[in-house]
Amino acid sequence: MPLFKFKTKRISTYLTAGLLTAALAPFAQAQTPEEKGLEIAKTRKATDRGWNNSEQDMKMILRNAQGNESVREMRSRALEITNDGDKGLTIFDKPRDVKGTAFLSFSHTLEPDDQWLYLPALKRVKRISSRNKSGPFMGSEFAYEDMSSFEVEKYDYKFLRDEACPVQPELTCYVVESNPKDKFSGYSKTIVWIDHKEYRMFKAEYYDKKKDLLKTLESSEYKLYLDKYWRAHKLSMVNHQTGKSTVLLTDNIRFNTGLTDKDFDKNTLKRIR
Amino acid sequence: MKLSFINAVLSRPIITILCCILIVAGLGYGTSYLTFRGDYKVFFGDNNPQLQGFEEMQKTFNKNDNVSIVIAPKNENVFTNETFELIFKITEDSWQTPYSTRVDSITNYQHTSAEEDDLLVEDILLDPADLSPAKLEYAKSVVLNEPMLVNRLIAPQGHVAMINITVQLPEKDKNQEVLDVVKHVRDMVDKYKAEYPDTDFHLAGIVMMNNGFIEEAQSDAQTLIPGMFLAIFIMLLLMLRSFTGMFATIIVIITSIVATLGGAGLAGFYISTPTVNVPVMVMTLAVADCVHIIASMHYYLRKGLSKNAAITEAVNTNITPVFITSATTAIGFLTFNFSDVPPLRDLGNMVAWGVMLAFVLAITLLPALLKLLPARAIKQTDNSNFMERFAEVVIEKRTPILIGSTLLIVAVIALVPQNKVNDVPIEYFDESITFRQDSDFMDQHLMGVSTIDIEISSGEENGINKPKFIKQLDDFSLWLREQDRIDHVFTLSDTFKRLNKSMHGDDQAYYRLPEDNELAAQYLLMYEMSLPYGLDLNNQLNIDKSAVRLTLAMDNVGSDEILAMEQKVLGWFKDNAPELTVRGASPALMFGHIGDRNMSSMLIGTTVATILISGLLIVALRSLKLGTISLLPNLLPAGLGFGFWALYSGNINLGLSVVTSMSLGIVVDDTVHFLAKYKLAREAGKTAEDAVRYAFSRVGRALWITTLVLATGFMVLAQSAFALNGNMGLLTAVIIVLALIVDFLFLPAFLILTDKKQYPVKESAHAAIQVQN
């Protein structure tokens, strides 16, 4: 599953962006917040193109309001798909009783995502209803929809303002509101902070259906890969309503490991190690 | 010294009044610091082990404060298009409730089914447009066969359904949060009431209970305090028949209340449902002080004294007894500090402070006001003769009176053990209150509101997926369901069975526990990944899956049965699964435990009150013998009162636990007055008979008046629909009346028949009697 791919536009992208900005300058006045929000989303997606495939190790640390902790470990693989959403595969290592369980997802830009789960104890692959993406992932504060690949078409956007970035206040961030188009989303809206230069998401606020702040995500420890792609190594999600939180640590990120479409096939999930 | 103080007060009445007003106004400023706390948790100290256990469990799993919307269509069938659609709409709308994190109903129940080889997890009704007769029939068959739902979200006969809204209150402004939730839910329900006139709606749950505490406190404040003013007005009209006296008394009462509450505010007290009636109690006790002084003033005016002299003499003769009665009352209230319930401690401290304030104002502000206001001698209706005739009857029939009353006392007191400690929060609300009716309705048709959350911990990470643990959980759940009074058991073992079935093509033969650790874990993972926002298992599982929370709902039973159930549960685990760690928690358990524990501590408190007050009496009467004798008329009324209570109700709640201490401090006044006069007469050389005559003639009328005032005040309190306050008021009023009966019948008979020894005659006593006559 591709988790949070934010990467920089290097020289060519800067040039393109510069030219675009120059060309669009005369029309800047006419741009509505919705148009600007969409533009930011498109650029964000565009800056994260061309990575092909990647693998990474992940560790989730769950905390409840009482201060107890619990750890989940997994590996994830991602395949970039042009003209549709990306494909992702997550293999659970810990807890031991779910070791080998594999979660396969095909993001789509327009239709609901496809999700399957391979259960080694049952030796079966089961489809998960596409509507259900808003519940907790592995009991954590992350929902599937927080972790699935970012696709421009899934939301409506509205640019709100510019302000200093969270985590790194020396940078300036676009603050953009996105409203999910899917009625089965668990959220009424999300507000994201994306820095001007590299289009990295530093923070996201998730609002529940009654429009109250539900969770806040902070991304940090960004590293640059292949001189082009920024990846956050630490994601902290805090649930303001229950006092629970989850930290998601990513490690050992590798690109172009030779993954192909065949590695993301529900019929071969049984052989996944 | 007394006289110089009185002269100082009276010689410059304006200054006295200004000083009083200034001090009262200064204290009164403190009322702006008073806040109100209506939540049920005020009844538990921060160190209360049950509260701590409950809070820990709430933090480990999620909080489960809730509002239950119970829906009862008049045609007694939930499975009609109209009602099913109504439940769907309310379920959807309920997500808009402030602080809501979860909404459960039969329409959004996450039903699992096999679809070809896949597991389908989805709402029973996703879209009302899908509602065909076949779909409705299917929904009915699923819902009425699901142990998670039957008796909880749907009645087994299908005539009543419930929508449960779980809220996570941030607890920053507890009252406002509760009020916000309740307002939203009520508005929503009102909207649907108009739309669906053939359906009844009822609101229950913890949030509604908290709201009940707030509303009953408001209702008490709005009805009892004005009611008390009215009662005082009528009493003063009857007893004093003087506008001046009435006016002065009311000023003293108002200033006492303002100063009491202001001082409480400055000292950092908050108001809660029990303490909202502090003004009523302080008013009651302040009136008694004033009435004594004003009645004496009229007495001396009639005797022909000048106004100034009459006031001086009235204050002079009353200052000591009024001080002693105020002090004993305050001591009684101060022993509330032995209670384990913070608002009862507050009640005791605030009233004790108020009583002493009222005393000070009654000997300063009151005489100063009387001095400034016009006063004339009021013609007395002659019932002092009545007291004297009454004394003759008692003296003449002393033996039958003593024997008869002793037998009666023994018989009534023998009933006391029939009472049992019972603290069920629902029962604090009178049946006239909608919240109580709604809760009773829910209890009758679905499940009771007395729940116990049980945390069962395997002691190891992911231990809840182990077949042995699941089996133990299932055995326990099945055992629970066989117990009496259990309405519903919400348990993860049902989920495991259902998942196993759905994972095997909905084959009923697989409706059993998964037998393999990995299988169970992976079923659960699969299920969790399939659940939508707000309907997850985090309210049943802790994060490392080492423990589950099971919830059992009982009929609305007494707290002893709830405590017994907790013990039975712990006993089951001790016998059948000793390796598991188990603990129970819930508001119902918290109230059950506090009721018991508080009763034990208040028994100590009452003992201390008895010792202190008796000690004070021995000092005040300067007689060990009379002080010891006074124990009888002081303690008997409470014994009689609780005997009466066994017949009247038999349930002792937190409010009643303090009644003995409180009434002891109050009824002791009668004894003090009576015995003081009795002793004076004896020391003047009179016989016991004559001394009783003398006591009756001197204080009989005053005791009538005090009893009338106090009993009326506490009867006003008894009108509260909130049982902690109402029962406390009623029983106290009963005890006050019983105390007068004991003092007028049993005590004189007892004195005449037992106190035969000659007293050493004192010249001063002789002189005092002559002067007063």
Side-chain angles (χ1 to χ4, degrees):
Chain A
M1 183 167 47
L3 274 156
F4 301 97
K5 317 165 297 287
F6 312 110
K7 58 196 158 215
T8 176
K9 29 186 181 83
R10 290 284 99 179
I11 300 155
S12 61
T13 335
Y14 279 129
L15 276 173
T16 326
L19 285 171
L20 260 172
T21 314
L24 290 171
F27 307 100
Q29 292 299 321
Q31 197 181 30
T32 63
E34 286 76 12
E35 286 162 358
K36 183 161 183 189
L38 180 63
E39 188 191 305
I40 294 165
K42 280 182 173 164
T43 315
R44 180 182 163 194
K45 185 72 191 175
T47 53
D48 196 39
R49 276 287 170 214
W51 49 271
N52 298 326
N53 58 69
S54 71
E55 293 190 51
Q56 56 193 351
D57 296 345
M58 298 195 296
K59 188 176 188 175
M60 265 185 177
I61 304 164
L62 281 63
R63 280 192 192 92
N64 65 15
Q66 179 68 12
N68 303 124
E69 272 188 21
S70 178
V71 175
R72 317 266 190 271
E73 284 174 20
M74 57 206 129
R75 289 164 284 145
S76 91
R77 299 167 188 175
L79 183 71
E80 187 178 26
I81 305 287
T82 30
N83 302 324
D84 199 359
D86 301 333
K87 293 184 179 182
L89 176 67
T90 305
I91 304 150
F92 301 119
D93 292 327
K94 259 188 190 163
R96 270 218 328 272
D97 54 15
V98 295
K99 187 176 165 62
T101 305
F103 176 70
L104 177 68
S105 65
F106 294 177
S107 292
H108 299 300
T109 49
L110 297 172
E111 319 120 60
D113 294 1
D114 290 308
Q115 306 166 60
W116 296 269
L117 198 64
Y118 169 65
L119 304 180
L122 200 66
K123 298 188 178 60
R124 290 262 175 76
V125 176
K126 295 272 182 186
R127 173 188 279 272
I128 294 177
S129 164
S130 55
R131 289 182 206 98
N132 298 332
K133 58 180 193 178
S134 56
F137 188 86
M138 301 276 291
S140 74
E141 294 312 314
F142 287 90
Y144 166 72
E145 62 179 312
D146 307 339
M147 304 174 75
S148 61
S149 78
F150 170 69
E151 306 298 340
V152 175
E153 295 80 357
K154 290 188 171 182
Y155 305 89
D156 290 322
Y157 302 91
K158 191 175 164 188
F159 169 75
L160 298 177
R161 60 185 181 272
D162 282 327
E163 69 180 36
C165 290
V167 187
Q168 290 188 38
E170 69 278 11
L171 301 175
T172 310
C173 270
Y174 299 112
V175 185
V176 179
E177 178 181 319
S178 17
N179 296 286
K181 290 180 183 168
D182 183 355
K183 73 165 178 163
F184 294 108
S185 167
Y187 310 123
S188 57
K189 66 173 179 187
T190 311
I191 295 177
V192 292
W193 279 254
I194 296 164
D195 81 296
H196 281 195
K197 263 171 86 182
E198 315 285 357
Y199 285 81
R200 293 168 295 191
M201 193 242 269
F202 279 99
K203 181 178 162 183
E205 287 180 347
Y206 299 90
Y207 289 80
D208 66 14
K209 294 278 186 171
K210 58 180 186 294
K211 301 190 174 61
D212 286 341
L213 179 60
L214 174 65
K215 302 187 291 192
T216 299
L217 174 72
E218 275 195 353
S219 318
S220 57
E221 297 175 20
Y222 271 101
K223 281 187 195 157
L224 186 64
Y225 288 87
L226 306 182
D227 208 26
K228 195 175 175 198
Y229 307 110
W230 287 97
R231 291 290 184 268
H233 284 247
K234 183 178 179 184
L235 303 171
S236 305
M237 185 75 93
V238 175
N239 186 320
H240 302 287
Q241 297 180 3
T242 61
K244 292 182 180 179
S245 63
T246 299
V247 175
L248 177 58
L249 300 172
T250 306
D251 195 18
N252 193 22
I253 305 180
R254 288 150 288 155
F255 285 87
N256 295 316
T257 55
L259 295 171
T260 66
D261 227 19
K262 280 182 198 151
D263 296 300
F264 297 85
D265 183 347
K266 74 179 178 102
N267 298 315
T268 58
L269 274 181
K270 288 179 195 184
R271 290 190 292 275
I272 296 278
R273 286 290 170 270
Chain B
M1 196 202 91
K2 256 191 321 193
L3 277 175
S4 59
F5 166 75
I6 298 164
N7 286 333
V9 165
L10 286 178
S11 60
R12 283 176 293 275
I14 305 237
I15 304 264
T16 306
I17 292 171
L18 283 178
C19 284
C20 289
I21 301 281
L22 212 64
I23 292 166
V24 168
L27 285 170
Y29 175 70
T31 50
S32 57
Y33 293 116
L34 279 181
T35 51
F36 176 75
R37 273 187 69 189
D39 61 301
Y40 71 87
K41 287 182 190 164
V42 298
F43 289 93
F44 308 92
D46 290 339
N47 296 321
N48 180 289
Q50 279 74 33
L51 176 65
Q52 285 178 342
F54 180 70
E55 302 274 21
E56 269 173 41
M57 208 185 284
Q58 299 266 64
K59 281 183 191 165
T60 302
F61 304 90
N62 286 340
K63 290 183 198 172
N64 50 6
D65 292 338
N66 69 320
V67 181
S68 307
I69 306 173
V70 179
I71 289 173
K74 292 198 171 115
N75 65 5
E76 304 207 326
N77 182 12
V78 166
F79 298 97
T80 60
N81 275 14
E82 198 190 12
T83 303
F84 216 65
E85 201 177 313
L86 167 67
I87 296 172
F88 176 86
K89 286 196 228 166
I90 296 183
T91 306
E92 287 289 293
D93 271 8
S94 294
W95 287 105
Q96 296 300 321
T97 308
Y99 314 111
S100 63
T101 52
R102 189 179 179 104
V103 179
D104 290 284
S105 78
I106 53 170
T107 59
N108 80 353
Y109 168 63
Q110 293 298 301
H111 171 52
T112 56
S113 59
E115 198 183 71
E116 292 172 19
D117 201 26
D118 291 333
L119 173 75
L120 191 67
V121 181
E122 65 176 18
D123 300 29
I124 291 271
L125 183 67
L126 265 171
D127 186 348
D130 296 345
L131 205 53
S132 61
K135 173 91 190 170
L136 201 58
E137 214 33 58
Y138 176 71
K140 184 175 176 180
S141 71
V142 168
V143 163
L144 287 179
N145 285 304
E146 177 49 58
M148 292 276 233
L149 303 179
V150 176
N151 274 327
R152 179 169 154 259
L153 299 180
I154 182 78
Q157 310 90 318
H159 68 305
V160 173
M162 190 254 268
I163 294 141
N164 193 53
I165 307 171
T166 307
V167 293
Q168 306 279 324
L169 300 179
E171 303 197 10
K172 284 179 186 134
D173 182 349
K174 293 185 188 179
N175 289 335
Q176 200 50 48
E177 290 161 14
V178 166
L179 295 174
D180 288 348
V181 171
V182 172
K183 178 169 190 326
H184 182 273
V185 173
R186 280 187 176 159
D187 286 351
M188 179 173 77
V189 166
D190 283 346
K191 187 184 88 183
Y192 286 111
K193 261 184 193 162
E195 217 177 304
Y196 293 83
D198 290 330
T199 304
D200 289 328
F201 297 80
H202 307 268
L203 296 176
I206 295 290
V207 175
M208 295 308 295
M209 182 176 89
N210 268 337
N211 182 62
F213 280 110
I214 299 172
E215 286 185 347
E216 286 322 299
Q218 279 170 348
S219 148
D220 272 10
Q222 280 163 8
T223 57
L224 300 189
I225 295 173
M228 191 62 206
F229 268 109
L230 186 69
I232 286 175
F233 187 77
I234 293 170
M235 281 188 296
L236 294 176
L237 207 63
L238 288 175
M239 288 179 301
L240 296 178
R241 285 187 222 153
S242 136
F243 172 77
T244 303
M246 193 149 76
F247 178 78
T249 306
I250 286 178
I251 296 289
V252 169
I253 288 170
I254 292 173
T255 47
S256 301
I257 295 174
V258 170
T260 305
L261 294 181
L266 290 175
F269 284 88
Y270 60 86
I271 298 290
S272 59
T273 318
T275 52
V276 77
N277 288 309
V278 165
V280 171
M281 292 193 180
V282 172
M283 278 159 103
T284 306
L285 298 161
V287 169
D289 295 348
C290 297
V291 166
H292 279 299
I293 292 172
I294 296 171
S296 293
M297 179 188 82
H298 288 158
Y299 173 82
Y300 291 115
L301 280 175
R302 276 195 302 276
K303 291 246 156 171
L305 269 63
S306 72
K307 193 169 96 178
N308 199 48
I311 298 171
T312 308
E313 204 46 42
V315 177
N316 189 29
T317 50
N318 279 293
I319 196 163
T320 309
V322 169
F323 172 76
I324 290 175
T325 57
S326 300
T328 53
T329 304
I331 288 172
F333 276 97
L334 284 174
T335 56
F336 288 19
N337 282 302
F338 283 88
S339 167
D340 292 293
V341 182
L344 289 180
R345 295 200 291 265
D346 293 353
L347 176 68
N349 291 327
M350 285 163 83
V351 176
W353 153 246
V355 165
M356 294 322 290
L357 274 173
F359 163 71
V360 171
L361 290 168
I363 60 162
T364 52
L365 183 60
L366 180 70
L369 282 168
L370 291 174
K371 167 115 192 238
L372 285 185
L373 295 164
R376 58 191 168 79
I378 309 276
K379 213 171 65 192
Q380 187 183 13
T381 45
D382 208 354
N383 48 8
S384 61
N385 274 348
F386 166 78
M387 283 321 307
E388 275 150 23
R389 284 200 307 275
F390 185 84
E392 294 308 325
V393 174
V394 174
I395 291 163
E396 193 190 323
K397 309 253 189 233
R398 61 201 176 221
T399 313
I401 283 178
L402 188 65
I403 293 168
S405 59
T406 305
L407 288 176
L408 195 65
I409 286 167
V410 170
V412 174
I413 289 181
L415 293 170
V416 172
Q418 304 291 314
N419 288 300
K420 58 172 187 173
V421 176
N422 191 20
D423 276 287
V424 179
I426 291 293
E427 290 176 8
Y428 292 167
F429 299 91
D430 189 85
E431 279 162 11
S432 64
I433 297 171
T434 315
F435 166 66
R436 172 70 184 273
Q437 294 164 0
D438 285 355
S439 299
D440 286 348
F441 183 88
M442 182 168 136
D443 181 32
Q444 204 184 333
H445 298 280
L446 289 167
M447 61 177 187
V449 291
S450 298
T451 61
I452 305 180
D453 293 330
I454 300 170
E455 179 180 346
I456 306 162
S457 176
S458 67
E460 56 177 328
E461 246 188 283
N462 303 301
I464 60 116
N465 291 321
K466 298 243 160 96
K468 189 179 170 205
F469 180 88
I470 303 174
K471 176 79 168 58
Q472 285 165 328
L473 178 66
D474 190 44
D475 288 347
F476 172 63
S477 307
L478 294 175
W479 171 81
L480 268 182
R481 287 189 173 132
E482 282 166 13
Q483 305 305 305
D484 281 347
R485 306 284 211 155
I486 294 283
D487 287 336
H488 190 259
V489 179
F490 188 77
T491 173
L492 194 70
S493 56
D494 288 340
T495 306
F496 275 119
K497 288 183 195 169
R498 186 160 42 79
L499 284 173
N500 201 15
K501 176 182 149 184
S502 295
M503 288 289 200
H504 288 92
D506 280 338
D507 183 351
Q508 188 62 33
Y510 280 91
Y511 189 78
R512 58 177 196 229
L513 300 172
E515 284 154 7
D516 177 82
N517 186 357
E518 276 74 31
L519 204 57
Q522 290 165 29
Y523 283 173
L524 208 57
L525 176 74
M526 167 97 204
Y527 185 51
E528 280 192 279
M529 301 273 280
S530 305
L531 292 170
Y533 168 73
L535 296 172
D536 53 61
L537 298 178
N538 289 345
N539 59 341
Q540 297 182 64
L541 290 173
N542 66 351
I543 51 168
D544 66 0
K545 294 195 168 59
S546 63
V548 297
R549 175 165 69 177
L550 171 150
T551 302
L552 67 89
M554 299 175 74
D555 282 325
N556 288 348
V557 293
S559 57
D560 51 346
E561 286 177 75
I562 291 169
L563 294 180
M565 179 51 74
E566 184 190 27
Q567 287 313 309
K568 270 168 89 175
V569 165
L570 295 177
W572 188 92
F573 279 96
K574 211 173 146 207
D575 295 342
N576 298 284
E579 69 276 23
L580 304 180
T581 316
V582 180
R583 61 172 174 177
S586 74
L589 265 185
M590 284 155 67
F591 275 99
H593 280 285
I594 195 84
D596 263 5
R597 182 144 16 88
N598 180 63
M599 187 51 71
S600 318
S601 354
M602 276 318 293
L603 281 177
I604 301 172
T606 306
T607 312
V608 170
T610 310
I611 294 167
L612 285 177
I613 291 171
S614 303
L616 197 72
L617 281 193
I618 291 168
V619 174
L621 293 170
R622 291 191 196 86
S623 159
L624 179 62
K625 183 177 165 190
L626 287 179
T628 315
I629 288 177
S630 76
L631 276 173
L632 278 176
N634 290 343
L635 289 176
L636 287 178
L640 291 169
F642 278 93
F644 154 81
W645 196 260
L647 295 174
Y648 177 78
S649 143
N651 286 326
I652 305 290
N653 61 31
L654 293 177
L656 293 182
S657 69
V658 295
V659 164
T660 306
S661 285
M662 171 166 67
S663 61
L664 185 62
I666 296 172
V667 304
V668 79
D669 302 1
D670 297 353
T671 326
V672 170
H673 286 297
F674 196 91
L675 286 177
K677 298 297 177 210
Y678 173 83
K679 180 170 172 264
L680 192 68
R682 292 284 277 161
E683 286 174 343
K686 294 190 185 256
T687 60
E689 281 94 334
D690 281 345
V692 164
R693 275 188 195 100
Y694 176 74
F696 265 114
S697 75
R698 290 295 301 134
V699 296
R701 184 180 146 82
L703 295 193
W704 265 119
I705 290 176
T706 326
T707 303
L708 182 66
V709 169
L710 294 174
T712 307
F714 283 97
M715 277 313 287
V716 169
L717 188 56
Q719 304 313 306
S720 171
F722 187 68
L724 290 189
N725 299 340
N727 289 356
M728 184 197 283
L730 177 59
L731 184 53
T732 308
V734 166
I735 291 175
I736 288 169
V737 172
L738 287 168
L740 186 72
I741 297 172
V742 168
D743 279 327
F744 276 6
L745 293 175
F746 175 83
L747 180 63
F750 184 82
L751 286 170
I752 295 168
L753 289 167
T754 58
D755 189 30
K756 303 214 183 223
K757 216 182 75 193
Q758 192 68 34
Y759 282 57
V761 177
K762 287 185 185 164
E763 206 42 51
S764 60
H766 198 72
I769 284 190
Q770 293 308 319
V771 167
Q772 284 181 359
N773 276 345

